[in-house]
mmCIF file of all heavy atoms in Angstrom:
data_model
loop_
_atom_site.group_PDB
_atom_site.id
_atom_site.type_symbol
_atom_site.label_atom_id
_atom_site.label_comp_id
_atom_site.label_asym_id
_atom_site.label_seq_id
_atom_site.Cartn_x
_atom_site.Cartn_y
_atom_site.Cartn_z
ATOM 1 N N ILE A 1126 -23.466 20.977 4.481
ATOM 2 C CA ILE A 1126 -23.742 19.687 5.118
ATOM 3 C C ILE A 1126 -23.862 19.845 6.633
ATOM 4 O O ILE A 1126 -24.825 19.390 7.253
ATOM 5 C CB ILE A 1126 -22.648 18.656 4.759
ATOM 6 C CG1 ILE A 1126 -22.701 18.319 3.270
ATOM 7 C CG2 ILE A 1126 -22.810 17.386 5.597
ATOM 8 C CD1 ILE A 1126 -21.557 17.438 2.781
ATOM 9 N N TYR A 1127 -22.881 20.516 7.230
ATOM 10 C CA TYR A 1127 -22.864 20.653 8.690
ATOM 11 C C TYR A 1127 -23.998 21.539 9.205
ATOM 12 O O TYR A 1127 -24.577 21.282 10.263
ATOM 13 C CB TYR A 1127 -21.506 21.203 9.146
ATOM 14 C CG TYR A 1127 -20.588 20.126 9.657
ATOM 15 C CD1 TYR A 1127 -20.082 19.156 8.805
ATOM 16 C CD2 TYR A 1127 -20.240 20.057 10.993
ATOM 17 C CE1 TYR A 1127 -19.254 18.158 9.268
ATOM 18 C CE2 TYR A 1127 -19.409 19.077 11.475
ATOM 19 C CZ TYR A 1127 -18.916 18.114 10.603
ATOM 20 O OH TYR A 1127 -18.100 17.116 11.076
ATOM 21 N N ARG A 1128 -24.307 22.583 8.451
ATOM 22 C CA ARG A 1128 -25.376 23.471 8.906
ATOM 23 C C ARG A 1128 -26.741 22.786 8.785
ATOM 24 O O ARG A 1128 -27.629 23.014 9.614
ATOM 25 C CB ARG A 1128 -25.352 24.766 8.094
ATOM 26 C CG ARG A 1128 -25.791 25.956 8.923
ATOM 27 C CD ARG A 1128 -25.516 27.276 8.262
ATOM 28 N NE ARG A 1128 -25.781 28.360 9.209
ATOM 29 C CZ ARG A 1128 -25.691 29.635 8.911
ATOM 30 N NH1 ARG A 1128 -25.328 30.020 7.705
ATOM 31 N NH2 ARG A 1128 -25.955 30.556 9.820
ATOM 32 N N THR A 1129 -26.901 21.954 7.765
ATOM 33 C CA THR A 1129 -28.133 21.171 7.644
ATOM 34 C C THR A 1129 -28.278 20.253 8.850
ATOM 35 O O THR A 1129 -29.363 20.127 9.429
ATOM 36 C CB THR A 1129 -28.130 20.347 6.341
ATOM 37 O OG1 THR A 1129 -28.052 21.234 5.222
ATOM 38 C CG2 THR A 1129 -29.386 19.499 6.221
ATOM 39 N N LEU A 1130 -27.179 19.605 9.246
ATOM 40 C CA LEU A 1130 -27.197 18.730 10.420
ATOM 41 C C LEU A 1130 -27.567 19.518 11.672
ATOM 42 O O LEU A 1130 -28.413 19.091 12.474
ATOM 43 C CB LEU A 1130 -25.825 18.079 10.605
ATOM 44 C CG LEU A 1130 -25.613 17.283 11.897
ATOM 45 C CD1 LEU A 1130 -26.555 16.083 11.955
ATOM 46 C CD2 LEU A 1130 -24.162 16.833 12.017
ATOM 47 N N LEU A 1131 -26.954 20.681 11.846
ATOM 48 C CA LEU A 1131 -27.208 21.513 13.024
ATOM 49 C C LEU A 1131 -28.688 21.893 13.109
ATOM 50 O O LEU A 1131 -29.302 21.828 14.179
ATOM 51 C CB LEU A 1131 -26.338 22.770 12.968
ATOM 52 C CG LEU A 1131 -26.377 23.694 14.189
ATOM 53 C CD1 LEU A 1131 -25.770 23.017 15.413
ATOM 54 C CD2 LEU A 1131 -25.643 25.004 13.888
ATOM 55 N N ARG A 1132 -29.260 22.256 11.978
ATOM 56 C CA ARG A 1132 -30.660 22.676 11.962
ATOM 57 C C ARG A 1132 -31.613 21.498 12.189
ATOM 58 O O ARG A 1132 -32.699 21.678 12.740
ATOM 59 C CB ARG A 1132 -30.951 23.420 10.660
ATOM 60 C CG ARG A 1132 -30.272 24.796 10.665
ATOM 61 C CD ARG A 1132 -30.339 25.530 9.365
ATOM 62 N NE ARG A 1132 -29.725 26.866 9.520
ATOM 63 C CZ ARG A 1132 -29.573 27.730 8.520
ATOM 64 N NH1 ARG A 1132 -29.980 27.430 7.297
ATOM 65 N NH2 ARG A 1132 -29.015 28.909 8.752
ATOM 66 N N GLU A 1133 -31.201 20.314 11.760
ATOM 67 C CA GLU A 1133 -32.018 19.123 12.035
ATOM 68 C C GLU A 1133 -32.025 18.803 13.526
ATOM 69 O O GLU A 1133 -33.048 18.395 14.079
ATOM 70 C CB GLU A 1133 -31.483 17.926 11.233
ATOM 71 C CG GLU A 1133 -31.740 18.027 9.752
ATOM 72 C CD GLU A 1133 -32.408 16.792 9.186
ATOM 73 O OE1 GLU A 1133 -32.338 15.722 9.820
ATOM 74 O OE2 GLU A 1133 -33.006 16.918 8.098
ATOM 75 N N ILE A 1134 -30.873 18.984 14.157
ATOM 76 C CA ILE A 1134 -30.787 18.753 15.607
ATOM 77 C C ILE A 1134 -31.758 19.683 16.328
ATOM 78 O O ILE A 1134 -32.501 19.255 17.214
ATOM 79 C CB ILE A 1134 -29.339 18.960 16.107
ATOM 80 C CG1 ILE A 1134 -28.433 17.831 15.598
ATOM 81 C CG2 ILE A 1134 -29.298 19.027 17.636
ATOM 82 C CD1 ILE A 1134 -26.947 18.056 15.846
ATOM 83 N N LYS A 1135 -31.767 20.950 15.925
ATOM 84 C CA LYS A 1135 -32.660 21.925 16.566
ATOM 85 C C LYS A 1135 -34.124 21.575 16.294
ATOM 86 O O LYS A 1135 -34.966 21.608 17.203
ATOM 87 C CB LYS A 1135 -32.354 23.333 16.069
ATOM 88 C CG LYS A 1135 -33.199 24.411 16.768
ATOM 89 C CD LYS A 1135 -32.776 25.804 16.358
ATOM 90 C CE LYS A 1135 -33.682 26.872 16.972
ATOM 91 N NZ LYS A 1135 -33.626 26.898 18.441
ATOM 92 N N ALA A 1136 -34.438 21.212 15.044
ATOM 93 C CA ALA A 1136 -35.816 20.911 14.665
ATOM 94 C C ALA A 1136 -36.348 19.672 15.384
ATOM 95 O O ALA A 1136 -37.525 19.604 15.745
ATOM 96 C CB ALA A 1136 -35.913 20.731 13.154
ATOM 97 N N ASP A 1137 -35.467 18.701 15.605
ATOM 98 C CA ASP A 1137 -35.886 17.449 16.261
ATOM 99 C C ASP A 1137 -36.025 17.594 17.772
ATOM 100 O O ASP A 1137 -36.580 16.733 18.439
ATOM 101 C CB ASP A 1137 -34.877 16.327 15.964
ATOM 102 C CG ASP A 1137 -34.976 15.837 14.530
ATOM 103 O OD1 ASP A 1137 -35.952 16.213 13.851
ATOM 104 O OD2 ASP A 1137 -34.090 15.084 14.104
ATOM 105 N N GLY A 1138 -35.486 18.703 18.310
ATOM 106 C CA GLY A 1138 -35.440 18.882 19.760
ATOM 107 C C GLY A 1138 -34.020 18.617 20.208
ATOM 108 O O GLY A 1138 -33.579 17.463 20.285
ATOM 109 N N ALA A 1139 -33.281 19.698 20.456
ATOM 110 C CA ALA A 1139 -31.839 19.591 20.706
ATOM 111 C C ALA A 1139 -31.494 18.641 21.845
ATOM 112 O O ALA A 1139 -30.454 17.976 21.828
ATOM 113 C CB ALA A 1139 -31.248 20.972 20.980
ATOM 114 N N GLU A 1140 -32.385 18.550 22.847
ATOM 115 C CA GLU A 1140 -32.094 17.701 24.005
ATOM 116 C C GLU A 1140 -31.982 16.218 23.643
ATOM 117 O O GLU A 1140 -31.410 15.429 24.391
ATOM 118 C CB GLU A 1140 -33.158 17.901 25.093
ATOM 119 C CG GLU A 1140 -34.533 17.314 24.801
ATOM 120 C CD GLU A 1140 -35.408 18.177 23.893
ATOM 121 O OE1 GLU A 1140 -34.892 19.177 23.337
ATOM 122 O OE2 GLU A 1140 -36.594 17.850 23.732
ATOM 123 N N LYS A 1141 -32.481 15.851 22.452
ATOM 124 C CA LYS A 1141 -32.460 14.441 22.049
ATOM 125 C C LYS A 1141 -31.050 13.931 21.765
ATOM 126 O O LYS A 1141 -30.826 12.714 21.723
ATOM 127 C CB LYS A 1141 -33.366 14.222 20.838
ATOM 128 C CG LYS A 1141 -34.845 14.393 21.164
ATOM 129 C CD LYS A 1141 -35.723 14.146 19.951
ATOM 130 C CE LYS A 1141 -37.193 14.350 20.296
ATOM 131 N NZ LYS A 1141 -38.068 14.190 19.116
ATOM 132 N N VAL A 1142 -30.086 14.852 21.566
ATOM 133 C CA VAL A 1142 -28.708 14.416 21.321
ATOM 134 C C VAL A 1142 -28.118 13.696 22.532
ATOM 135 O O VAL A 1142 -27.095 13.014 22.418
ATOM 136 C CB VAL A 1142 -27.783 15.584 20.907
ATOM 137 C CG1 VAL A 1142 -28.195 16.166 19.568
ATOM 138 C CG2 VAL A 1142 -27.738 16.662 21.976
ATOM 139 N N LEU A 1143 -28.747 13.856 23.699
ATOM 140 C CA LEU A 1143 -28.270 13.157 24.891
ATOM 141 C C LEU A 1143 -28.397 11.643 24.741
ATOM 142 O O LEU A 1143 -27.602 10.889 25.294
ATOM 143 C CB LEU A 1143 -29.044 13.615 26.128
ATOM 144 C CG LEU A 1143 -28.740 15.013 26.665
ATOM 145 C CD1 LEU A 1143 -29.736 15.381 27.748
ATOM 146 C CD2 LEU A 1143 -27.317 15.098 27.206
ATOM 147 N N ASN A 1144 -29.398 11.204 24.003
ATOM 148 C CA ASN A 1144 -29.694 9.775 23.926
ATOM 149 C C ASN A 1144 -29.645 9.199 22.516
ATOM 150 O O ASN A 1144 -29.829 7.997 22.336
ATOM 151 C CB ASN A 1144 -31.078 9.503 24.538
ATOM 152 C CG ASN A 1144 -31.093 9.764 26.031
ATOM 153 O OD1 ASN A 1144 -30.441 9.069 26.793
ATOM 154 N ND2 ASN A 1144 -31.810 10.803 26.454
ATOM 155 N N ALA A 1145 -29.401 10.043 21.527
ATOM 156 C CA ALA A 1145 -29.341 9.544 20.152
ATOM 157 C C ALA A 1145 -28.392 10.401 19.332
ATOM 158 O O ALA A 1145 -28.330 11.617 19.513
ATOM 159 C CB ALA A 1145 -30.729 9.568 19.525
ATOM 160 N N ARG A 1146 -27.660 9.752 18.451
ATOM 161 C CA ARG A 1146 -26.758 10.492 17.561
ATOM 162 C C ARG A 1146 -27.518 10.814 16.278
ATOM 163 O O ARG A 1146 -27.948 9.910 15.554
ATOM 164 C CB ARG A 1146 -25.512 9.664 17.252
ATOM 165 C CG ARG A 1146 -24.495 10.400 16.373
ATOM 166 C CD ARG A 1146 -23.342 9.471 16.010
ATOM 167 N NE ARG A 1146 -22.449 10.065 15.040
ATOM 168 C CZ ARG A 1146 -21.351 10.743 15.336
ATOM 169 N NH1 ARG A 1146 -21.024 10.921 16.609
ATOM 170 N NH2 ARG A 1146 -20.582 11.238 14.395
#
Side-chain angles (χ1 to χ4, degrees):
I1126 293 173
Y1127 260 67
R1128 213 168 189 183
T1129 299
L1130 172 64
L1131 186 67
R1132 289 172 177 177
E1133 289 232 340
I1134 290 171
K1135 184 174 176 63
D1137 287 349
E1140 72 279 9
K1141 291 181 181 177
V1142 295
L1143 287 171
N1144 293 294
R1146 182 185 172 93

